[in-house]
Amino acid sequence: MAEAGGIADFDALRRAMAENSEEPEGPARNARAERLLVEAEKLNIPLAVIEALGHQLKVYNYSSEKDKMFVPFARLLRLWDERPGDFDEYETHSLHWVFKWVTAGMLDQPHIPLASIEKWLGEMEHRYRLAGHSERAVRSAEFSVAGHIGDLARAERAYTAWLAADRDRMADCHACELHGQGGWQLRNGRDAAALELWGPVLEGEYSCAHEPHTVLASSLLPLLRLGRADEARAHHLRGFRLVRPMESMRGAYADHVEFCALTGNEARGLELLAERPAYFTDTGQPRSRMDFLAVVTLLMERLTELGLGGQRVPGPEGRAWSAGELAGHARAQALELAARFDARNGTSYVGDQLRERMAQRPLVDRLPLGVRTPRTAPAGPVAPVVRAPAPERPSLPALIAEARRLSDTLQPHAMEAWAAVAEAAGNTEVDTRVRAEIADHTAMGRGPEGVELFERAAALYAEAGDEGEAIAARARAAYVRALAGELDEATAAIAEPYDRILALYADDATGVRQTASVLMSRARILMRRVHERSQGADGAEQAVREVLALVGGRGGADVRLVARAAEGRAMLAELAEHAGDAERAGELFRQASAQFVGAELPWFAVEYEVRVAALAHEQGDMAEAERALRAALEHGGPLVEPVGRAQLHLQLAEVLGGRGAAEEAAEHALQAAHWADEAGESSTMGAWARHQLGGLLLRQGRFAEAAEVLESALADLSAETHGDGAVVQTQWWLGDCLSELGEHHAAAERRLQAAETARHWPEQHDHATLAHLAAESLGNAGLAAEADLAYTRAGELWRAMGNVHFLVRSLRARAWLALRTEAGTAGARGLMAAAVAECETALAAHPDPAARDRLTAELGHTHRQFGDLLARSASEDAEDAAIQDAFEAALAETTAAIAVFAELGEEELHSRTGAELAAGWLEADLSRPADAAARARAVLDAYEGADPDDDTVRARRAEARQLLEPTEA
């Protein structure tokens, strides 16, 4: 640090303060500001001390140590009262400006009496009047005081006076004012009005150091209350990214934790708390600490309500905390702080608001965010459960009747119903038929392990006198042997039940339902042989057609028979697919799906629509793939398991993204990530879904949201599971987002990481592109030397691939960087000359006319940039002759660019006129007004008859007329 050896002069002090202002918020920056004040006092320059005090006050205000700002302000005010002439115009303005900070800061400190705050408000009004300022800022401050203590009538009067007063230099910026005005609407229950006021801030029309950060945070709950959940999600991702690095924004940070607690994202709320342990204990701003502890209480009590009170959670350092323990601790501390504010204010308003905040109920059960947020508890009701008297337990006959109804109609919860029958029966004596049914349905739930139970069920059915159902149960036992891989045993085991059921059916000794069950079990076994051993397709098809012949036209109201027919068609589809007839397979799968849907059993259609989608995808029929996937989601609804829902949404996202429907595709990718988390697949399918979602958000220009999602994806993506291509693409996309957000150093890191992986790939285009992009980011981050190395690396790769265009662009970029390094103007000229030479060499060697045109355009742009660089390199401190030489050289290169662009005619008209105008300004700088005017007229002539609504045409004509003005005056 510069001050370690002492600050030599006022300029060095100012440089040191400017550097410190760029450091992250926090105690370290504050401590340096304190040391700089000591150094300022040694200079014996009053203005130096004033500026150092102002700097100290500013860094305190933008930190967790806001309580320290009163001392430097009091000293500044004393200096002003004693020697106002020591303040320059800027510091005079700053002194009056920070009155607002101090007033608001006093409200945040419960030990400062209300009478002192009111007195200070009067002092502010008096001094503003003396300085000739509007009362707008004063009334805004009064509004804050009245609103804080709960004097809503006075707050309304102050609010009205605030808006009525003239805006002047002392008024808060538009963004901050709109935040405060929207907050008043919110306090009065007008959510929509608040959001309307905040619109210009949310849309980027107004911004400042703390906006749209706080408006995004404040908008979260009103958006949820208005049912605008998608916007709330976007504001959380975008807003949290803004507040995360800013220590002073504990209140806004708390809003994001609160949002998580009220949207089923408790796990993410815990992650947020873990990022900011100091927020539990920093005492510099008691009001924001109270707000933070309130939402900690809300989150911990929510976890406790979900049965997770014993879960380990982040809390104040020094000990381990469970959710239940932290809930009690945070509530007690928050209420103690509220009591101090209320004692100071003489009202109960702060405590009432605090208790209301801590008592909030979730606004949605679960709002998917896109980032990894595993559920902390199973989905359940969001309202408190009212414990009504337990309903009378159904009788065993009622349970049996319901179970039979569900199983006869193939309803989804039939198995659970039979489990309830089994539990109710217990050791009770029930008739043999019921015991058979219990054993049969229990076996169905055990899959390959159900063989013995099916055999027991068969024996019980036989004992009950139902020989057909007994045979069907033994057929089911044979089929589960096939599921266990015992294909030969299963084939042997089905033979005798098959022969017997046909004999019984021929004698009218059993029904079509039992017969169809046995025939279907046999068909399933033979289909397994086809799938696992690629043998017996003819036998399998014959068995399937036997089922269809039996049940065809017999279904009617018997959904079991309709289901047999539909499954049979699906088996024929599988055989067609196995034989390579994809078109017939798709048609048969569609027929099976339609039969299930027609029988009001749509959940059975899901599997077949998925198969249709896969076949359509292979055939390049994306429209049919999309239709089938949509149908699968619609038919399955909530009955599809989370992992299946994740897969369906992910496949649909990929199809929609492929046809350019990025917005809808992003919604499905979001749902895929959500259901993957629900299924416990966060690090596998969830990471892939987030990878896709991030790319889709990037395509929509939603850079902050995309960055949050992609960073979350990278935490789980791995080359082993997802492939190094997915990892590189995610880093690439993230680098693009960070670049758009102005986070150039971080963008460079991501692009360099991706480039390092791509370096090992056989095809080097991605490696070169990433190195080029990384160089661009390094340059934008102010790291010129590092950028030059990266551009050099990229240039070597472009040369090796024969890509002249990007080789030339890397040389041009290096030339511009050279102006900022030791290479200087000479190095810059050499690199730009090399770029020109590469273009000319390539042109001389390339026979293809289209390629030559592209190279000619590249040459024109290179000459143009060469001219701009030479003009820019002319130092204001240089001798007049040196400046004139630089301008002459710049003019020569720009003239060369005009000639090259002219070769390309209308295609490069705008490029030519732009260069012509640049040459005209150089002619003017060289005191050649006639030549400048000639170039301006050439531009006007070039656009004779051009479209007057073309923005470029209008801009070029306006600039040409501006260039002509001195000669026409």
Side-chain angles (χ1 to χ4, degrees):
M1 290 297 181
E3 69 272 13
I7 295 293
D9 53 38
F10 199 177
D11 286 342
L13 175 70
R14 283 174 165 162
R15 285 195 299 272
M17 290 190 295
E19 290 171 8
N20 197 40
S21 293
E22 297 302 315
E23 292 298 312
E25 294 178 352
R29 186 170 76 157
N30 295 352
R32 190 181 183 206
E34 291 162 6
R35 295 196 298 272
L36 288 172
L37 175 59
V38 173
E39 293 296 321
E41 288 168 338
K42 296 176 184 177
L43 296 177
N44 199 28
I45 300 172
L47 185 58
V49 174
I50 291 166
E51 290 188 11
L53 285 167
H55 174 67
Q56 191 181 81
L57 195 155
K58 180 178 179 180
V59 299
Y60 284 154
N61 183 63
Y62 292 109
S63 79
S64 60
E65 298 179 312
K66 290 178 182 283
D67 54 335
K68 290 185 174 182
M69 69 178 176
F70 304 113
V71 172
F73 181 73
R75 186 174 170 190
L76 274 170
L77 197 58
R78 187 172 66 253
L79 291 172
W80 169 260
D81 288 338
E82 292 172 355
R83 297 173 59 91
D86 289 342
F87 287 70
D88 62 13
E89 182 180 356
Y90 178 81
E91 293 302 327
T92 299
H93 175 271
S94 297
L95 175 70
H96 287 81
W97 181 267
V98 296
F99 263 93
K100 298 177 295 184
W101 294 358
V102 173
T103 304
M106 287 180 174
L107 280 177
D108 295 341
Q109 307 293 332
H111 69 278
I112 298 179
L114 187 60
S116 297
I117 296 172
E118 294 284 7
K119 181 181 178 182
W120 191 256
L121 188 61
E123 180 76 10
M124 177 182 175
E125 182 171 10
H126 172 68
R127 289 179 180 266
Y128 272 38
R129 190 180 299 116
L130 285 177
H133 298 309
S134 163
E135 66 171 17
R136 189 178 182 94
V138 178
R139 298 286 75 84
S140 173
E142 181 188 8
F143 165 76
S144 298
V145 173
H148 171 67
I149 65 177
D151 187 345
L152 302 187
R154 182 187 177 192
E156 181 65 44
R157 291 193 302 273
Y159 180 83
T160 302
W162 167 22
L163 269 60
D166 293 336
R167 278 190 58 84
D168 67 352
R169 295 176 65 209
M170 283 299 121
D172 281 341
C173 74
H174 283 288
C176 288
E177 284 207 330
L178 289 173
H179 181 229
Q181 291 162 21
W184 180 239
Q185 301 302 319
L186 208 62
R187 186 175 297 191
N188 286 287
R190 297 188 285 265
D191 289 344
L195 290 164
E196 185 177 356
L197 276 167
W198 291 336
V201 184
L202 295 171
E203 292 161 13
E205 185 178 345
Y206 302 122
S207 63
C208 68
H210 278 182
E211 295 297 354
H213 315 42
T214 56
V215 162
L216 285 164
S218 298
S219 72
L220 297 172
L221 299 195
L223 284 169
L224 288 173
R225 288 193 290 263
L226 292 170
R228 294 158 62 178
D230 289 345
E231 291 173 75
R233 175 195 305 113
H235 287 197
H236 169 64
L237 294 178
R238 178 182 161 205
F240 183 68
R241 187 169 192 86
L242 291 172
V243 302
R244 177 188 275 137
M246 300 182 71
E247 186 202 44
S248 63
M249 302 202 70
R250 179 163 53 184
Y253 200 99
D255 290 342
H256 287 280
V257 176
E258 178 181 42
F259 169 80
C260 293
L262 298 178
T263 57
N265 287 291
E266 299 87 1
R268 179 163 171 85
L270 294 176
E271 291 174 0
L272 267 56
L273 295 185
E275 286 190 32
R276 283 291 188 183
Y279 276 174
F280 288 97
T281 52
D282 283 345
T283 59
Q285 190 186 30
R287 184 153 58 154
S288 71
R289 181 167 180 251
M290 177 184 70
D291 291 338
F292 182 76
L293 290 169
V295 301
V296 170
T297 304
L298 177 69
L299 176 59
M300 296 304 140
E301 291 185 351
R302 176 64 181 154
L303 289 170
T304 303
E305 181 182 335
L306 292 170
L308 300 170
Q311 178 174 322
R312 179 86 175 265
V313 295
E317 293 181 339
R319 57 160 288 187
W321 295 90
S322 69
E325 292 167 340
L326 185 56
H329 172 81
R331 175 176 282 274
Q333 290 215 324
L335 288 172
E336 188 275 330
L337 282 166
R340 288 170 58 195
F341 280 110
D342 282 341
R344 187 269 302 277
N345 300 339
T347 68
S348 65
Y349 188 72
V350 173
D352 292 343
Q353 295 284 300
L354 184 80
R355 280 181 280 272
E356 185 177 321
R357 188 173 196 181
M358 294 190 295
Q360 292 177 99
R361 301 299 308 158
L363 294 169
V364 295
D365 173 51
R366 179 73 184 278
L367 177 65
L369 300 178
V371 294
R372 183 178 183 176
T373 49
R375 177 173 281 284
T376 50
V382 302
V385 178
V386 178
R387 297 295 180 187
E392 186 176 341
R393 188 182 183 91
S395 66
L396 181 57
L399 288 171
I400 293 169
E402 176 64 6
R404 284 173 175 166
R405 183 188 71 80
L406 293 174
S407 56
D408 283 348
T409 55
L410 299 177
Q411 295 303 300
H413 303 298
M415 304 295 289
E416 291 91 327
W418 279 108
V421 170
E423 182 183 3
N427 296 321
T428 306
E429 282 294 325
V430 293
D431 67 44
T432 305
R433 173 74 190 197
V434 172
R435 286 189 286 128
E437 289 172 293
I438 291 173
D440 200 3
H441 287 90
T442 303
M444 291 178 194
R446 294 189 180 177
E449 298 175 4
V451 174
E452 291 184 8
L453 267 176
F454 277 128
E455 296 288 358
R456 174 171 170 70
L460 289 168
Y461 280 128
E463 186 181 333
D466 191 338
E467 186 63 21
E469 203 62 62
I471 296 170
R474 286 208 300 278
R476 288 191 281 275
Y479 175 55
V480 296
R481 288 184 184 278
L483 290 178
E486 301 172 8
L487 291 174
D488 293 335
E489 294 85 346
T491 305
I494 197 64
E496 191 264 345
Y498 171 69
D499 291 338
R500 287 195 60 196
I501 202 71
L502 289 179
L504 283 175
Y505 183 66
D507 293 340
D508 288 330
T510 192
V512 67
R513 181 185 285 189
Q514 290 79 13
T515 305
S517 178
V518 175
L519 296 187
M520 182 56 77
S521 292
R522 179 170 177 266
R524 287 171 177 170
I525 291 168
L526 295 176
M527 288 295 295
R528 299 287 294 188
R529 296 183 73 91
V530 174
H531 288 312
E532 295 189 16
R533 295 183 179 175
S534 294
Q535 58 183 224
D538 291 342
E541 181 173 350
Q542 182 181 351
V544 173
R545 294 195 179 282
E546 194 172 6
V547 173
L548 292 172
L550 176 68
V551 301
R554 292 173 176 267
D558 190 339
V559 297
R560 281 182 171 269
L561 297 183
V562 176
R564 299 296 186 205
E567 185 179 352
R569 290 197 180 282
M571 287 177 169
L572 291 178
E574 290 176 22
L575 290 169
E577 185 179 9
H578 183 75
D581 191 346
E583 187 173 342
R584 174 167 170 72
E587 180 56 34
L588 286 165
F589 277 131
R590 281 189 288 272
Q591 291 176 14
S593 173
Q595 281 187 284
F596 276 122
V597 174
E600 298 184 357
L601 301 171
W603 46 89
F604 287 112
V606 172
E607 175 186 354
Y608 306 126
E609 293 290 5
V610 170
R611 300 288 290 273
V612 169
L615 288 167
H617 200 286
E618 288 174 8
Q619 295 172 302
D621 187 349
M622 293 298 104
E624 174 63 6
E626 181 181 334
R627 183 213 60 79
L629 290 168
R630 288 188 189 278
L633 277 169
E634 178 186 349
H635 297 330
L639 296 175
V640 180
E641 290 295 316
V643 67
R645 291 178 81 169
Q647 289 168 339
L648 286 172
H649 280 294
L650 187 55
Q651 290 176 51
L652 189 50
E654 291 173 349
V655 170
L656 290 166
R659 71 168 173 83
E663 189 169 343
E664 188 183 358
E667 177 58 33
H668 285 286
L670 173 71
Q671 292 297 325
H674 165 68
W675 289 109
D677 288 345
E678 294 286 301
E681 297 286 341
S682 291
S683 61
T684 51
M685 196 191 321
W688 181 255
R690 278 180 268 280
H691 159 82
Q692 295 283 9
L693 175 58
L696 291 163
L697 291 170
L698 171 61
R699 281 165 61 180
Q700 296 174 64
R702 296 160 66 178
F703 304 118
E705 297 166 64
E708 284 291 303
V709 170
L710 292 167
E711 286 173 347
S712 182
L714 276 174
D716 290 317
L717 283 172
S718 68
E720 294 74 23
T721 303
H722 304 94
D724 57 4
V727 177
V728 167
Q729 182 64 79
T730 304
Q731 290 170 327
W732 191 331
W733 282 337
L734 180 54
D736 291 348
C737 291
L738 295 170
S739 179
E740 292 289 345
L741 293 169
E743 300 176 35
H744 298 300
H745 196 283
E749 288 181 0
R750 292 300 184 181
R751 288 167 165 175
L752 287 170
Q753 289 168 359
E756 181 58 27
T757 302
R759 182 169 69 88
H760 303 287
W761 294 352
E763 211 289 319
Q764 288 288 284
H765 185 271
D766 286 344
H767 179 203
T769 304
L770 285 161
H772 200 112
L773 289 170
E776 180 183 294
S777 292
L778 289 165
N780 289 333
L783 302 171
E786 292 86 345
D788 183 70
L789 287 173
Y791 274 125
T792 301
R793 175 186 178 188
E796 291 167 352
L797 292 166
W798 295 129
R799 185 185 296 280
M801 288 186 287
N803 191 322
V804 177
H805 294 276
F806 279 97
L807 168 60
V808 167
R809 290 169 197 179
S810 66
L811 288 167
R812 293 198 310 240
R814 289 182 62 203
W816 285 105
L817 285 169
L819 292 179
R820 295 153 52 188
T821 67
E822 293 181 0
T825 302
R829 287 189 176 203
L831 287 162
M832 202 64 86
V836 170
E838 292 289 349
C839 285
E840 291 174 340
T841 300
L843 267 170
H846 220 300
D848 179 55
R852 286 182 60 80
D853 284 350
R854 290 194 295 273
L855 284 167
T856 299
E858 198 72 66
L859 176 60
H861 289 296
T862 304
H863 278 301
R864 171 65 198 275
Q865 284 200 34
F866 201 170
D868 291 346
L869 179 141
L870 291 167
R872 185 90 52 92
S873 67
S875 170
E876 293 181 2
D877 299 328
E879 298 289 336
D880 289 347
I883 295 174
Q884 181 152 343
D885 288 346
F887 282 179
E888 291 284 8
L891 180 59
E893 291 293 339
T894 308
T895 301
I898 295 166
V900 171
F901 289 137
E903 292 178 32
L904 298 171
E906 195 69 22
E907 186 178 338
E908 289 293 333
L909 174 62
H910 291 330
S911 298
R912 177 168 67 83
T913 57
E916 194 81 68
L917 288 167
W921 291 113
L922 286 167
E923 300 276 22
D925 287 334
L926 290 165
S927 301
R928 299 169 189 162
D931 293 336
R935 291 188 182 276
R937 291 190 187 94
V939 171
L940 293 173
D941 290 344
Y943 288 122
E944 186 70 33
D947 180 3
D949 294 327
D950 184 296
D951 290 339
T952 304
V953 171
R954 286 206 308 269
R956 292 282 195 271
R957 282 174 169 169
E959 188 177 351
R961 294 189 190 102
Q962 184 183 359
L963 186 55
L964 278 171
E965 283 175 5
T967 63
E968 296 177 345

